[in-house]
Amino acid sequence: LKPSEKNPDLRIMNFDSIEVFSENTARGCLIVAVYSNSAIKVVYFDFEEKKFSTLIDDAYMQCCIFHVRFVCIGGKLHIMIGSTNGHLTIYDISETTDKYFVAEYEENSVKLRKKPVDVGMQIMKLGKLLINQQIHQSSIRALATTQTSQNEVSIVTGGDDNAIALLRLYKCPGSQNKLDLKSFEASAASSTITTITHVNKNQVLIGAVDQSIKLWNINNGLKLVANKYSTVADIGCSEITHFANGKKYALIGGAGLSIWNL
């Protein structure tokens, strides 16, 4: 995908993707990318043609966007972003994507089915801004989501304010989407929360710059389960690995890498 800006300092901060199927065969993927200048782009990549087609090219504000996720509520595709202003923002992009794809929910995940249309993909602007709600005092530095049903998404955020928040995005019958703050822990760490990863639907692993690794239960609010110290400095990312024998390990990355038995 060719860059559209001449500014060499422009960065792609985060991206998300969904596979696109046709007759049970993966044909491509829909990708959303966010940039340091607040730009948001949605593109389709065709596996066979090895070609990018831009669907949406727009911008949020003038702040840096740290995170982006595709979410599907009520069969409509949305994008969720977390930025340096501490806001969680949700756009409805279904007016554009419904021209080419059908969103299908199955087994706590969403996939897209390509419509048999011959018209070329046109570049559009972002759809309706549904939610722009402040969650943290400053930047949202960590974001994790899980699709709990066809009409509901569970969200956990971490910020520069050392806090974590548990939220619920859902659709009420006959009304617009709503974002509820279920629980907020103002002193989740002694420094910036930089990474959040789902261990399972009830627990998340959270890492911070203070080199703390904490396991939180999110089933009914936020409850601290375990607190450990990592020798990895400047923690910035984490991942959970699942093995066939049922074992799970947490990988913590920063200035080094550590592996934890869960």
Side-chain angles (χ1 to χ4, degrees):
L1 180 63
K2 295 181 179 180
S4 57
E5 298 283 343
K6 295 182 179 180
N7 184 357
D9 293 330
L10 184 66
R11 298 182 183 182
I12 296 176
M13 303 300 295
N14 196 226
F15 71 94
D16 195 14
S17 65
I18 303 179
E19 275 195 304
V20 176
F21 290 82
S22 177
E23 298 178 353
N24 297 321
T25 301
R27 302 295 183 181
C29 59
L30 193 67
I31 304 168
V32 56
V34 292
Y35 295 74
S36 55
N37 67 345
S38 214
I40 301 173
K41 293 183 181 180
V42 178
V43 299
Y44 173 67
F45 180 72
D46 188 288
F47 289 161
E48 185 175 347
E49 297 182 5
K50 294 181 173 59
K51 176 185 176 182
F52 286 101
S53 299
T54 302
L55 275 73
I56 295 174
D57 189 350
D58 207 346
Y60 167 51
M61 289 185 178
Q62 292 184 343
C63 55
C64 177
I65 304 173
F66 276 122
H67 296 279
V68 65
R69 296 289 187 276
F70 280 120
V71 293
C72 188
I73 302 293
K76 298 295 184 181
L77 198 61
H78 303 68
I79 56 171
M80 174 192 301
I81 61 172
S83 311
T84 52
N85 62 3
H87 285 62
L88 201 61
T89 307
I90 297 164
Y91 287 95
D92 182 353
I93 62 169
S94 62
E95 185 175 346
T96 296
T97 58
D98 282 356
K99 296 177 182 178
Y100 313 104
F101 313 105
V102 176
E104 297 179 343
Y105 171 81
E106 57 179 36
E107 297 180 358
N108 297 326
S109 64
V110 176
K111 70 177 184 179
L112 298 178
R113 180 165 51 83
K114 197 172 187 299
K115 289 183 176 179
V117 293
D118 296 327
V119 295
M121 294 182 177
Q122 298 179 339
I123 301 177
M124 305 291 289
K125 295 296 183 180
L126 283 166
K128 184 179 180 181
L129 175 61
L130 300 180
I131 295 169
N132 190 33
Q133 183 172 325
Q134 185 164 12
I135 307 300
H136 294 272
Q137 294 181 14
S138 49
S139 301
I140 295 179
R141 295 293 300 273
L143 173 67
T145 63
T146 181
Q147 190 96 25
T148 55
S149 73
Q150 188 172 357
N151 294 312
E152 184 176 322
V153 176
S154 177
I155 307 159
V156 184
T157 63
D160 264 332
D161 55 1
N162 309 347
I164 58 174
L166 174 64
L167 305 107
R168 173 177 172 244
L169 174 66
Y170 63 101
K171 181 176 179 60
C172 290
S175 65
Q176 292 185 344
N177 297 345
K178 293 186 177 181
L179 181 66
D180 286 347
L181 179 63
K182 296 180 64 178
S183 187
F184 188 85
E185 183 63 42
S187 300
S190 60
S191 60
T192 300
I193 309 292
T194 54
T195 180
I196 301 174
T197 308
H198 277 92
V199 177
N200 51 50
K201 66 178 181 178
N202 295 322
Q203 291 183 328
V204 292
L205 186 74
I206 292 179
V209 175
D210 62 4
Q211 297 178 228
S212 65
I213 304 298
K214 296 181 180 181
L215 192 64
W216 291 80
N217 189 296
I218 60 171
N219 187 40
N220 187 19
L222 289 164
K223 182 179 179 181
L224 183 62
V225 176
N227 183 10
K228 299 291 184 179
Y229 177 81
S230 174
T231 57
V232 174
D234 197 20
I235 291 174
C237 59
S238 61
E239 187 58 89
I240 306 297
T241 61
H242 300 258
F243 291 89
N245 59 5
K247 283 187 173 292
K248 294 180 183 179
Y249 294 95
L251 280 71
I252 308 298
L257 178 68
S258 64
I259 301 175
W260 296 75
N261 187 358
L262 292 173

